[in-house]
Amino acid sequence: MPRVGLTPEQVVDHALALIDEQGPEALTLAAVAARAGVATPSLYKHVSGGLAELRRLVAVRVTGELADRLAEAALGRGGDAAVAAVLRAYHAYATEHPHRYGALPQAPQPDEDLVAAAGRLVGVIVAVLRGYGLEGSEAIHAARTFRSLAHGFAALSTGGAFQLAEDLGETQDRMITVLTAGLRSWPRP
């Protein structure tokens, strides 16, 4: 029987706290069990698939958190303002939680919950792109462009790649200007 008061959601909370402190590579059942105050075998009562299941649950949670952050940023905005808000929210999430961001899967996974969370994330981006009249295949190409910029900037920032003195916020502003100008003049087939 699972420990009273410990739920799968709380196990994921402990896993995320561990990841936040030490990075995704530190995620082990023993480390999470120690944080939760249970024996390692006891975690199987809460996360039956072991470490693989825990990694899956972490990926679902992180993807959902990012999707929620982007949706909140886009709310009530359209066009250039929506793009800017979503890109800034994406970068802010990554810089506030660099290790969680490192646990974010970049490739599709054959998992219903993860597909749903990723669908929400991409759905926010596609909804923002509708403000530029982009639908169907063109929306997909534009969403890939958007995600490439967002992920590239976030990954390079959190990885410490930007060491020169120029202001990173100014770089982000220019990146947003380039993307919004490109979206306004998106090539149509």
Side-chain angles (χ1 to χ4, degrees), residues 52-61 63 105 107-119:
E53 172 71 3
L54 184 55
R55 288 186 194 282
R56 183 191 77 77
L57 292 171
V58 163
V60 170
R61 173 86 66 87
T63 304
Q109 303 291 317
D111 177 88
E112 186 176 309
D113 295 331
L114 192 51
V115 167

Side-chain angles (χ1 to χ4, degrees), residues 26 33 45 50 77 126 145 176:
K45 296 172 185 168
R77 294 181 172 91
V126 170
T145 301
I176 290 167

Side-chain angles (χ1 to χ4, degrees), residues 3-142:
R3 179 177 159 214
V4 174
L6 188 63
T7 66
E9 292 77 22
Q10 290 171 326
V11 171
V12 174
D13 291 341
H14 289 298
L16 287 172
L18 179 69
I19 288 170
D20 286 342
E21 291 173 9
Q22 300 177 30
E25 62 284 345
L27 184 62
T28 66
L29 290 179
V32 173
R35 279 184 160 283
V38 299
T40 302
S42 297
L43 283 185
Y44 286 95
K45 296 172 185 168
H46 306 284
V47 184
S48 62
L51 186 58
E53 172 71 3
L54 184 55
R55 288 186 194 282
R56 183 191 77 77
L57 292 171
V58 163
V60 170
R61 173 86 66 87
V62 171
T63 304
E65 285 177 352
L66 182 56
D68 291 345
R69 180 78 68 97
L70 300 186
E72 183 178 322
L75 192 63
R77 294 181 172 91
D80 293 356
V83 168
V86 171
L87 280 174
R88 285 191 176 98
Y90 194 106
H91 187 254
Y93 181 87
T95 56
E96 289 166 20
H97 305 289
H99 294 310
R100 280 183 199 205
Y101 186 75
L104 185 71
Q106 295 303 317
Q109 303 291 317
D111 177 88
E112 186 176 309
D113 295 331
L114 192 51
V115 167
R120 285 191 311 113
L121 185 129
V122 173
V124 172
I125 296 168
V126 170
V128 166
L129 295 172
R130 283 191 198 107
Y132 295 90
L134 297 170
E135 299 283 341
S137 292
E138 293 309 311
I140 299 304
H141 294 304

